[in-house]
mmCIF file with all atom_site columns, all heavy atoms in Angstrom:
data_model
loop_
_atom_site.group_PDB
_atom_site.id
_atom_site.type_symbol
_atom_site.label_atom_id
_atom_site.label_alt_id
_atom_site.label_comp_id
_atom_site.label_asym_id
_atom_site.label_entity_id
_atom_site.label_seq_id
_atom_site.pdbx_PDB_ins_code
_atom_site.Cartn_x
_atom_site.Cartn_y
_atom_site.Cartn_z
_atom_site.occupancy
_atom_site.B_iso_or_equiv
_atom_site.pdbx_formal_charge
_atom_site.auth_seq_id
_atom_site.auth_comp_id
_atom_site.auth_asym_id
_atom_site.auth_atom_id
_atom_site.pdbx_PDB_model_num
ATOM 1   N N   . PHE A 1 1  ? 1.954  3.660   10.492  1.00 0.00 ? 41 PHE A N   1
ATOM 2   C CA  . PHE A 1 1  ? 1.448  4.383   9.318   1.00 0.00 ? 41 PHE A CA  1
ATOM 3   C C   . PHE A 1 1  ? 2.117  5.754   9.327   1.00 0.00 ? 41 PHE A C   1
ATOM 4   O O   . PHE A 1 1  ? 2.454  6.246   10.330  1.00 0.00 ? 41 PHE A O   1
ATOM 5   C CB  . PHE A 1 1  ? 0.008  4.549   9.343   1.00 0.00 ? 41 PHE A CB  1
ATOM 6   C CG  . PHE A 1 1  ? -0.893 3.397   9.319   1.00 0.00 ? 41 PHE A CG  1
ATOM 7   C CD1 . PHE A 1 1  ? -1.697 2.991   10.332  1.00 0.00 ? 41 PHE A CD1 1
ATOM 8   C CD2 . PHE A 1 1  ? -0.858 2.556   8.166   1.00 0.00 ? 41 PHE A CD2 1
ATOM 9   C CE1 . PHE A 1 1  ? -2.428 1.806   10.314  1.00 0.00 ? 41 PHE A CE1 1
ATOM 10  C CE2 . PHE A 1 1  ? -1.535 1.311   8.159   1.00 0.00 ? 41 PHE A CE2 1
ATOM 11  C CZ  . PHE A 1 1  ? -2.392 1.059   9.254   1.00 0.00 ? 41 PHE A CZ  1
ATOM 12  N N   . PRO A 1 2  ? 2.479  6.207   8.110   1.00 0.00 ? 42 PRO A N   1
ATOM 13  C CA  . PRO A 1 2  ? 2.215  5.691   6.754   1.00 0.00 ? 42 PRO A CA  1
ATOM 14  C C   . PRO A 1 2  ? 3.500  4.883   6.415   1.00 0.00 ? 42 PRO A C   1
ATOM 15  O O   . PRO A 1 2  ? 4.533  4.952   7.012   1.00 0.00 ? 42 PRO A O   1
ATOM 16  C CB  . PRO A 1 2  ? 2.049  6.898   5.748   1.00 0.00 ? 42 PRO A CB  1
ATOM 17  C CG  . PRO A 1 2  ? 3.025  7.910   6.518   1.00 0.00 ? 42 PRO A CG  1
ATOM 18  C CD  . PRO A 1 2  ? 2.855  7.691   7.990   1.00 0.00 ? 42 PRO A CD  1
ATOM 19  N N   . PHE A 1 3  ? 3.320  3.973   5.421   1.00 0.00 ? 43 PHE A N   1
ATOM 20  C CA  . PHE A 1 3  ? 4.441  3.227   4.810   1.00 0.00 ? 43 PHE A CA  1
ATOM 21  C C   . PHE A 1 3  ? 4.288  2.900   3.356   1.00 0.00 ? 43 PHE A C   1
ATOM 22  O O   . PHE A 1 3  ? 3.167  2.910   2.871   1.00 0.00 ? 43 PHE A O   1
ATOM 23  C CB  . PHE A 1 3  ? 4.730  2.046   5.632   1.00 0.00 ? 43 PHE A CB  1
ATOM 24  C CG  . PHE A 1 3  ? 3.641  0.991   5.643   1.00 0.00 ? 43 PHE A CG  1
ATOM 25  C CD1 . PHE A 1 3  ? 3.521  -0.023  4.630   1.00 0.00 ? 43 PHE A CD1 1
ATOM 26  C CD2 . PHE A 1 3  ? 2.752  0.940   6.742   1.00 0.00 ? 43 PHE A CD2 1
ATOM 27  C CE1 . PHE A 1 3  ? 2.429  -0.942  4.683   1.00 0.00 ? 43 PHE A CE1 1
ATOM 28  C CE2 . PHE A 1 3  ? 1.654  0.009   6.788   1.00 0.00 ? 43 PHE A CE2 1
ATOM 29  C CZ  . PHE A 1 3  ? 1.513  -0.918  5.817   1.00 0.00 ? 43 PHE A CZ  1
ATOM 30  N N   . LEU A 1 4  ? 5.412  2.724   2.768   1.00 0.00 ? 44 LEU A N   1
ATOM 31  C CA  . LEU A 1 4  ? 5.328  2.290   1.221   1.00 0.00 ? 44 LEU A CA  1
ATOM 32  C C   . LEU A 1 4  ? 5.218  0.781   1.228   1.00 0.00 ? 44 LEU A C   1
ATOM 33  O O   . LEU A 1 4  ? 5.991  0.025   1.916   1.00 0.00 ? 44 LEU A O   1
ATOM 34  C CB  . LEU A 1 4  ? 6.579  2.787   0.545   1.00 0.00 ? 44 LEU A CB  1
ATOM 35  C CG  . LEU A 1 4  ? 6.599  2.597   -0.905  1.00 0.00 ? 44 LEU A CG  1
ATOM 36  C CD1 . LEU A 1 4  ? 5.563  3.388   -1.657  1.00 0.00 ? 44 LEU A CD1 1
ATOM 37  C CD2 . LEU A 1 4  ? 7.996  2.791   -1.511  1.00 0.00 ? 44 LEU A CD2 1
ATOM 38  N N   . LEU A 1 5  ? 4.354  0.299   0.373   1.00 0.00 ? 45 LEU A N   1
ATOM 39  C CA  . LEU A 1 5  ? 4.123  -1.122  0.208   1.00 0.00 ? 45 LEU A CA  1
ATOM 40  C C   . LEU A 1 5  ? 4.386  -1.587  -1.254  1.00 0.00 ? 45 LEU A C   1
ATOM 41  O O   . LEU A 1 5  ? 3.987  -0.919  -2.178  1.00 0.00 ? 45 LEU A O   1
ATOM 42  C CB  . LEU A 1 5  ? 2.681  -1.438  0.546   1.00 0.00 ? 45 LEU A CB  1
ATOM 43  C CG  . LEU A 1 5  ? 2.157  -2.856  0.175   1.00 0.00 ? 45 LEU A CG  1
ATOM 44  C CD1 . LEU A 1 5  ? 2.774  -3.891  1.179   1.00 0.00 ? 45 LEU A CD1 1
ATOM 45  C CD2 . LEU A 1 5  ? 0.656  -2.871  0.310   1.00 0.00 ? 45 LEU A CD2 1
ATOM 46  N N   . LEU A 1 6  ? 5.140  -2.654  -1.309  1.00 0.00 ? 46 LEU A N   1
ATOM 47  C CA  . LEU A 1 6  ? 5.287  -3.418  -2.656  1.00 0.00 ? 46 LEU A CA  1
ATOM 48  C C   . LEU A 1 6  ? 4.512  -4.746  -2.408  1.00 0.00 ? 46 LEU A C   1
ATOM 49  O O   . LEU A 1 6  ? 5.032  -5.536  -1.607  1.00 0.00 ? 46 LEU A O   1
ATOM 50  C CB  . LEU A 1 6  ? 6.723  -3.632  -3.024  1.00 0.00 ? 46 LEU A CB  1
ATOM 51  C CG  . LEU A 1 6  ? 6.884  -4.512  -4.281  1.00 0.00 ? 46 LEU A CG  1
ATOM 52  C CD1 . LEU A 1 6  ? 6.283  -3.851  -5.541  1.00 0.00 ? 46 LEU A CD1 1
ATOM 53  C CD2 . LEU A 1 6  ? 8.385  -4.931  -4.531  1.00 0.00 ? 46 LEU A CD2 1
ATOM 54  N N   . LEU A 1 7  ? 3.439  -4.898  -3.130  1.00 0.00 ? 47 LEU A N   1
ATOM 55  C CA  . LEU A 1 7  ? 2.687  -6.139  -3.010  1.00 0.00 ? 47 LEU A CA  1
ATOM 56  C C   . LEU A 1 7  ? 2.935  -6.974  -4.341  1.00 0.00 ? 47 LEU A C   1
ATOM 57  O O   . LEU A 1 7  ? 2.567  -6.585  -5.375  1.00 0.00 ? 47 LEU A O   1
ATOM 58  C CB  . LEU A 1 7  ? 1.151  -5.848  -2.910  1.00 0.00 ? 47 LEU A CB  1
ATOM 59  C CG  . LEU A 1 7  ? 0.215  -7.101  -2.920  1.00 0.00 ? 47 LEU A CG  1
ATOM 60  C CD1 . LEU A 1 7  ? 0.610  -7.990  -1.724  1.00 0.00 ? 47 LEU A CD1 1
ATOM 61  C CD2 . LEU A 1 7  ? -1.209 -6.560  -2.686  1.00 0.00 ? 47 LEU A CD2 1
ATOM 62  N N   . VAL A 1 8  ? 3.587  -8.101  -4.024  1.00 0.00 ? 48 VAL A N   1
ATOM 63  C CA  . VAL A 1 8  ? 4.054  -8.869  -5.191  1.00 0.00 ? 48 VAL A CA  1
ATOM 64  C C   . VAL A 1 8  ? 3.608  -10.337 -5.002  1.00 0.00 ? 48 VAL A C   1
ATOM 65  O O   . VAL A 1 8  ? 3.997  -11.013 -4.005  1.00 0.00 ? 48 VAL A O   1
ATOM 66  C CB  . VAL A 1 8  ? 5.513  -8.842  -5.510  1.00 0.00 ? 48 VAL A CB  1
ATOM 67  C CG1 . VAL A 1 8  ? 5.915  -7.695  -6.350  1.00 0.00 ? 48 VAL A CG1 1
ATOM 68  C CG2 . VAL A 1 8  ? 6.366  -8.858  -4.157  1.00 0.00 ? 48 VAL A CG2 1
ATOM 69  N N   . SER A 1 9  ? 2.743  -10.849 -5.849  1.00 0.00 ? 49 SER A N   1
ATOM 70  C CA  . SER A 1 9  ? 2.153  -12.186 -5.641  1.00 0.00 ? 49 SER A CA  1
ATOM 71  C C   . SER A 1 9  ? 1.830  -12.834 -7.046  1.00 0.00 ? 49 SER A C   1
ATOM 72  O O   . SER A 1 9  ? 2.279  -12.308 -8.048  1.00 0.00 ? 49 SER A O   1
ATOM 73  C CB  . SER A 1 9  ? 0.926  -12.212 -4.853  1.00 0.00 ? 49 SER A CB  1
ATOM 74  O OG  . SER A 1 9  ? -0.106 -11.468 -5.530  1.00 0.00 ? 49 SER A OG  1
ATOM 75  N N   . GLY A 1 10 ? 1.157  -13.962 -7.019  1.00 0.00 ? 50 GLY A N   1
ATOM 76  C CA  . GLY A 1 10 ? 0.852  -14.612 -8.181  1.00 0.00 ? 50 GLY A CA  1
ATOM 77  C C   . GLY A 1 10 ? -0.097 -13.790 -9.086  1.00 0.00 ? 50 GLY A C   1
ATOM 78  O O   . GLY A 1 10 ? -0.211 -13.945 -10.313 1.00 0.00 ? 50 GLY A O   1
ATOM 79  N N   . GLY A 1 11 ? -0.962 -13.000 -8.538  1.00 0.00 ? 51 GLY A N   1
ATOM 80  C CA  . GLY A 1 11 ? -1.984 -12.275 -9.234  1.00 0.00 ? 51 GLY A CA  1
ATOM 81  C C   . GLY A 1 11 ? -1.876 -10.796 -9.185  1.00 0.00 ? 51 GLY A C   1
ATOM 82  O O   . GLY A 1 11 ? -2.531 -10.093 -9.860  1.00 0.00 ? 51 GLY A O   1
ATOM 83  N N   . HIS A 1 12 ? -0.826 -10.251 -8.358  1.00 0.00 ? 52 HIS A N   1
ATOM 84  C CA  . HIS A 1 12 ? -0.772 -8.819  -8.209  1.00 0.00 ? 52 HIS A CA  1
ATOM 85  C C   . HIS A 1 12 ? 0.617  -8.320  -8.134  1.00 0.00 ? 52 HIS A C   1
ATOM 86  O O   . HIS A 1 12 ? 1.506  -8.961  -7.654  1.00 0.00 ? 52 HIS A O   1
ATOM 87  C CB  . HIS A 1 12 ? -1.520 -8.460  -6.817  1.00 0.00 ? 52 HIS A CB  1
ATOM 88  C CG  . HIS A 1 12 ? -2.900 -8.974  -6.714  1.00 0.00 ? 52 HIS A CG  1
ATOM 89  N ND1 . HIS A 1 12 ? -3.952 -8.257  -7.236  1.00 0.00 ? 52 HIS A ND1 1
ATOM 90  C CD2 . HIS A 1 12 ? -3.382 -10.059 -6.271  1.00 0.00 ? 52 HIS A CD2 1
ATOM 91  C CE1 . HIS A 1 12 ? -5.118 -8.951  -7.149  1.00 0.00 ? 52 HIS A CE1 1
ATOM 92  N NE2 . HIS A 1 12 ? -4.847 -10.160 -6.478  1.00 0.00 ? 52 HIS A NE2 1
ATOM 93  N N   . CYS A 1 13 ? 0.825  -7.119  -8.574  1.00 0.00 ? 53 CYS A N   1
ATOM 94  C CA  . CYS A 1 13 ? 2.071  -6.391  -8.541  1.00 0.00 ? 53 CYS A CA  1
ATOM 95  C C   . CYS A 1 13 ? 1.783  -4.936  -8.448  1.00 0.00 ? 53 CYS A C   1
ATOM 96  O O   . CYS A 1 13 ? 1.420  -4.228  -9.443  1.00 0.00 ? 53 CYS A O   1
ATOM 97  C CB  . CYS A 1 13 ? 2.961  -6.711  -9.730  1.00 0.00 ? 53 CYS A CB  1
ATOM 98  S SG  . CYS A 1 13 ? 4.625  -5.939  -9.619  1.00 0.00 ? 53 CYS A SG  1
ATOM 99  N N   . GLN A 1 14 ? 1.814  -4.326  -7.325  1.00 0.00 ? 54 GLN A N   1
ATOM 100 C CA  . GLN A 1 14 ? 1.435  -2.991  -6.999  1.00 0.00 ? 54 GLN A CA  1
ATOM 101 C C   . GLN A 1 14 ? 2.376  -2.316  -6.005  1.00 0.00 ? 54 GLN A C   1
ATOM 102 O O   . GLN A 1 14 ? 2.978  -2.896  -5.160  1.00 0.00 ? 54 GLN A O   1
ATOM 103 C CB  . GLN A 1 14 ? 0.027  -2.994  -6.439  1.00 0.00 ? 54 GLN A CB  1
ATOM 104 C CG  . GLN A 1 14 ? -1.017 -3.557  -7.246  1.00 0.00 ? 54 GLN A CG  1
ATOM 105 C CD  . GLN A 1 14 ? -2.379 -3.631  -6.564  1.00 0.00 ? 54 GLN A CD  1
ATOM 106 O OE1 . GLN A 1 14 ? -2.536 -3.439  -5.348  1.00 0.00 ? 54 GLN A OE1 1
ATOM 107 N NE2 . GLN A 1 14 ? -3.419 -3.909  -7.241  1.00 0.00 ? 54 GLN A NE2 1
ATOM 108 N N   . ILE A 1 15 ? 2.521  -0.953  -6.278  1.00 0.00 ? 55 ILE A N   1
ATOM 109 C CA  . ILE A 1 15 ? 3.228  -0.110  -5.269  1.00 0.00 ? 55 ILE A CA  1
ATOM 110 C C   . ILE A 1 15 ? 2.096  0.767   -4.659  1.00 0.00 ? 55 ILE A C   1
ATOM 111 O O   . ILE A 1 15 ? 1.448  1.471   -5.388  1.00 0.00 ? 55 ILE A O   1
ATOM 112 C CB  . ILE A 1 15 ? 4.359  0.678   -5.774  1.00 0.00 ? 55 ILE A CB  1
ATOM 113 C CG1 . ILE A 1 15 ? 5.472  -0.180  -6.393  1.00 0.00 ? 55 ILE A CG1 1
ATOM 114 C CG2 . ILE A 1 15 ? 4.872  1.715   -4.896  1.00 0.00 ? 55 ILE A CG2 1
ATOM 115 C CD1 . ILE A 1 15 ? 6.565  0.572   -7.112  1.00 0.00 ? 55 ILE A CD1 1
ATOM 116 N N   . MET A 1 16 ? 1.980  0.736   -3.417  1.00 0.00 ? 56 MET A N   1
ATOM 117 C CA  . MET A 1 16 ? 0.951  1.546   -2.724  1.00 0.00 ? 56 MET A CA  1
ATOM 118 C C   . MET A 1 16 ? 1.544  2.372   -1.606  1.00 0.00 ? 56 MET A C   1
ATOM 119 O O   . MET A 1 16 ? 2.520  2.045   -0.948  1.00 0.00 ? 56 MET A O   1
ATOM 120 C CB  . MET A 1 16 ? -0.048 0.606   -1.978  1.00 0.00 ? 56 MET A CB  1
ATOM 121 C CG  . MET A 1 16 ? -0.702 -0.546  -2.793  1.00 0.00 ? 56 MET A CG  1
ATOM 122 S SD  . MET A 1 16 ? -1.882 0.007   -4.038  1.00 0.00 ? 56 MET A SD  1
ATOM 123 C CE  . MET A 1 16 ? -3.173 0.735   -2.827  1.00 0.00 ? 56 MET A CE  1
ATOM 124 N N   . TRP A 1 17 ? 0.933  3.619   -1.401  1.00 0.00 ? 57 TRP A N   1
ATOM 125 C CA  . TRP A 1 17 ? 1.289  4.391   -0.200  1.00 0.00 ? 57 TRP A CA  1
ATOM 126 C C   . TRP A 1 17 ? 0.206  4.185   0.818   1.00 0.00 ? 57 TRP A C   1
ATOM 127 O O   . TRP A 1 17 ? -0.983 4.470   0.589   1.00 0.00 ? 57 TRP A O   1
ATOM 128 C CB  . TRP A 1 17 ? 1.293  5.961   -0.746  1.00 0.00 ? 57 TRP A CB  1
ATOM 129 C CG  . TRP A 1 17 ? 1.629  6.825   0.444   1.00 0.00 ? 57 TRP A CG  1
ATOM 130 C CD1 . TRP A 1 17 ? 0.983  7.981   0.743   1.00 0.00 ? 57 TRP A CD1 1
ATOM 131 C CD2 . TRP A 1 17 ? 2.829  6.824   1.231   1.00 0.00 ? 57 TRP A CD2 1
ATOM 132 N NE1 . TRP A 1 17 ? 1.580  8.783   1.763   1.00 0.00 ? 57 TRP A NE1 1
ATOM 133 C CE2 . TRP A 1 17 ? 2.716  8.011   2.042   1.00 0.00 ? 57 TRP A CE2 1
ATOM 134 C CE3 . TRP A 1 17 ? 3.873  6.031   1.365   1.00 0.00 ? 57 TRP A CE3 1
ATOM 135 C CZ2 . TRP A 1 17 ? 3.633  8.303   3.110   1.00 0.00 ? 57 TRP A CZ2 1
ATOM 136 C CZ3 . TRP A 1 17 ? 4.879  6.376   2.319   1.00 0.00 ? 57 TRP A CZ3 1
ATOM 137 C CH2 . TRP A 1 17 ? 4.772  7.407   3.177   1.00 0.00 ? 57 TRP A CH2 1
ATOM 138 N N   . VAL A 1 18 ? 0.503  3.592   1.910   1.00 0.00 ? 58 VAL A N   1
ATOM 139 C CA  . VAL A 1 18 ? -0.447 3.152   2.923   1.00 0.00 ? 58 VAL A CA  1
ATOM 140 C C   . VAL A 1 18 ? -0.462 4.141   3.995   1.00 0.00 ? 58 VAL A C   1
ATOM 141 O O   . VAL A 1 18 ? 0.437  4.286   4.858   1.00 0.00 ? 58 VAL A O   1
ATOM 142 C CB  . VAL A 1 18 ? -0.039 1.760   3.546   1.00 0.00 ? 58 VAL A CB  1
ATOM 143 C CG1 . VAL A 1 18 ? -1.104 1.363   4.487   1.00 0.00 ? 58 VAL A CG1 1
ATOM 144 C CG2 . VAL A 1 18 ? 0.030  0.707   2.354   1.00 0.00 ? 58 VAL A CG2 1
ATOM 145 N N   . ARG A 1 19 ? -1.572 4.989   4.027   1.00 0.00 ? 59 ARG A N   1
ATOM 146 C CA  . ARG A 1 19 ? -1.750 6.062   5.027   1.00 0.00 ? 59 ARG A CA  1
ATOM 147 C C   . ARG A 1 19 ? -2.334 5.615   6.278   1.00 0.00 ? 59 ARG A C   1
ATOM 148 O O   . ARG A 1 19 ? -1.978 6.049   7.398   1.00 0.00 ? 59 ARG A O   1
ATOM 149 C CB  . ARG A 1 19 ? -2.510 7.137   4.378   1.00 0.00 ? 59 ARG A CB  1
ATOM 150 C CG  . ARG A 1 19 ? -1.917 7.898   3.134   1.00 0.00 ? 59 ARG A CG  1
ATOM 151 C CD  . ARG A 1 19 ? -2.705 9.163   2.922   1.00 0.00 ? 59 ARG A CD  1
ATOM 152 N NE  . ARG A 1 19 ? -2.095 9.924   1.798   1.00 0.00 ? 59 ARG A NE  1
ATOM 153 C CZ  . ARG A 1 19 ? -2.525 9.816   0.613   1.00 0.00 ? 59 ARG A CZ  1
ATOM 154 N NH1 . ARG A 1 19 ? -3.414 8.870   0.260   1.00 0.00 ? 59 ARG A NH1 1
ATOM 155 N NH2 . ARG A 1 19 ? -1.941 10.451  -0.401  1.00 0.00 ? 59 ARG A NH2 1
ATOM 156 N N   . ASN A 1 20 ? -3.308 4.631   6.192   1.00 0.00 ? 60 ASN A N   1
ATOM 157 C CA  . ASN A 1 20 ? -4.133 4.276   7.399   1.00 0.00 ? 60 ASN A CA  1
ATOM 158 C C   . ASN A 1 20 ? -4.927 2.973   6.966   1.00 0.00 ? 60 ASN A C   1
ATOM 159 O O   . ASN A 1 20 ? -4.887 2.594   5.865   1.00 0.00 ? 60 ASN A O   1
ATOM 160 C CB  . ASN A 1 20 ? -5.050 5.371   7.778   1.00 0.00 ? 60 ASN A CB  1
ATOM 161 C CG  . ASN A 1 20 ? -5.561 5.229   9.310   1.00 0.00 ? 60 ASN A CG  1
ATOM 162 O OD1 . ASN A 1 20 ? -5.335 4.218   9.896   1.00 0.00 ? 60 ASN A OD1 1
ATOM 163 N ND2 . ASN A 1 20 ? -6.334 6.259   9.712   1.00 0.00 ? 60 ASN A ND2 1
ATOM 164 N N   . ILE A 1 21 ? -5.694 2.481   8.004   1.00 0.00 ? 61 ILE A N   1
ATOM 165 C CA  . ILE A 1 21 ? -6.602 1.396   7.618   1.00 0.00 ? 61 ILE A CA  1
ATOM 166 C C   . ILE A 1 21 ? -7.555 1.794   6.578   1.00 0.00 ? 61 ILE A C   1
ATOM 167 O O   . ILE A 1 21 ? -8.267 2.695   6.722   1.00 0.00 ? 61 ILE A O   1
ATOM 168 C CB  . ILE A 1 21 ? -7.299 0.904   8.872   1.00 0.00 ? 61 ILE A CB  1
ATOM 169 C CG1 . ILE A 1 21 ? -6.351 0.554   10.044  1.00 0.00 ? 61 ILE A CG1 1
ATOM 170 C CG2 . ILE A 1 21 ? -8.264 -0.261  8.531   1.00 0.00 ? 61 ILE A CG2 1
ATOM 171 C CD1 . ILE A 1 21 ? -5.493 -0.601  9.780   1.00 0.00 ? 61 ILE A CD1 1
ATOM 172 N N   . GLY A 1 22 ? -7.525 1.198   5.377   1.00 0.00 ? 62 GLY A N   1
ATOM 173 C CA  . GLY A 1 22 ? -8.478 1.416   4.364   1.00 0.00 ? 62 GLY A CA  1
ATOM 174 C C   . GLY A 1 22 ? -8.043 2.724   3.520   1.00 0.00 ? 62 GLY A C   1
ATOM 175 O O   . GLY A 1 22 ? -8.773 3.047   2.488   1.00 0.00 ? 62 GLY A O   1
ATOM 176 N N   . ASN A 1 23 ? -6.972 3.354   3.864   1.00 0.00 ? 63 ASN A N   1
ATOM 177 C CA  . ASN A 1 23 ? -6.523 4.526   3.078   1.00 0.00 ? 63 ASN A CA  1
ATOM 178 C C   . ASN A 1 23 ? -5.258 4.216   2.260   1.00 0.00 ? 63 ASN A C   1
ATOM 179 O O   . ASN A 1 23 ? -4.221 4.351   2.778   1.00 0.00 ? 63 ASN A O   1
ATOM 180 C CB  . ASN A 1 23 ? -6.355 5.732   4.028   1.00 0.00 ? 63 ASN A CB  1
ATOM 181 C CG  . ASN A 1 23 ? -6.064 7.052   3.387   1.00 0.00 ? 63 ASN A CG  1
ATOM 182 O OD1 . ASN A 1 23 ? -5.715 7.114   2.214   1.00 0.00 ? 63 ASN A OD1 1
ATOM 183 N ND2 . ASN A 1 23 ? -6.394 8.139   4.017   1.00 0.00 ? 63 ASN A ND2 1
ATOM 184 N N   . TYR A 1 24 ? -5.574 3.767   1.026   1.00 0.00 ? 64 TYR A N   1
ATOM 185 C CA  . TYR A 1 24 ? -4.341 3.383   0.195   1.00 0.00 ? 64 TYR A CA  1
ATOM 186 C C   . TYR A 1 24 ? -4.403 4.090   -1.163  1.00 0.00 ? 64 TYR A C   1
ATOM 187 O O   . TYR A 1 24 ? -5.410 4.204   -1.845  1.00 0.00 ? 64 TYR A O   1
ATOM 188 C CB  . TYR A 1 24 ? -4.652 1.883   -0.053  1.00 0.00 ? 64 TYR A CB  1
ATOM 189 C CG  . TYR A 1 24 ? -4.846 0.995   1.164   1.00 0.00 ? 64 TYR A CG  1
ATOM 190 C CD1 . TYR A 1 24 ? -5.975 0.417   1.401   1.00 0.00 ? 64 TYR A CD1 1
ATOM 191 C CD2 . TYR A 1 24 ? -3.704 0.878   2.052   1.00 0.00 ? 64 TYR A CD2 1
ATOM 192 C CE1 . TYR A 1 24 ? -6.220 -0.347  2.585   1.00 0.00 ? 64 TYR A CE1 1
ATOM 193 C CE2 . TYR A 1 24 ? -3.938 0.142   3.194   1.00 0.00 ? 64 TYR A CE2 1
ATOM 194 C CZ  . TYR A 1 24 ? -5.139 -0.424  3.481   1.00 0.00 ? 64 TYR A CZ  1
ATOM 195 O OH  . TYR A 1 24 ? -5.410 -1.148  4.598   1.00 0.00 ? 64 TYR A OH  1
ATOM 196 N N   . GLN A 1 25 ? -3.204 4.588   -1.433  1.00 0.00 ? 65 GLN A N   1
ATOM 197 C CA  . GLN A 1 25 ? -3.091 5.299   -2.747  1.00 0.00 ? 65 GLN A CA  1
ATOM 198 C C   . GLN A 1 25 ? -2.213 4.438   -3.598  1.00 0.00 ? 65 GLN A C   1
ATOM 199 O O   . GLN A 1 25 ? -1.037 4.104   -3.338  1.00 0.00 ? 65 GLN A O   1
ATOM 200 C CB  . GLN A 1 25 ? -2.434 6.663   -2.466  1.00 0.00 ? 65 GLN A CB  1
ATOM 201 C CG  . GLN A 1 25 ? -2.141 7.416   -3.850  1.00 0.00 ? 65 GLN A CG  1
ATOM 202 C CD  . GLN A 1 25 ? -1.334 8.702   -3.646  1.00 0.00 ? 65 GLN A CD  1
ATOM 203 O OE1 . GLN A 1 25 ? -1.025 9.030   -2.474  1.00 0.00 ? 65 GLN A OE1 1
ATOM 204 N NE2 . GLN A 1 25 ? -1.025 9.464   -4.694  1.00 0.00 ? 65 GLN A NE2 1
#
């Protein structure tokens, strides 16, 4: 942590800043 996340799936498309467990912007 932290890292930049691109979540791309059948139902989701999001860019998140992942700071920690459960801490997502």
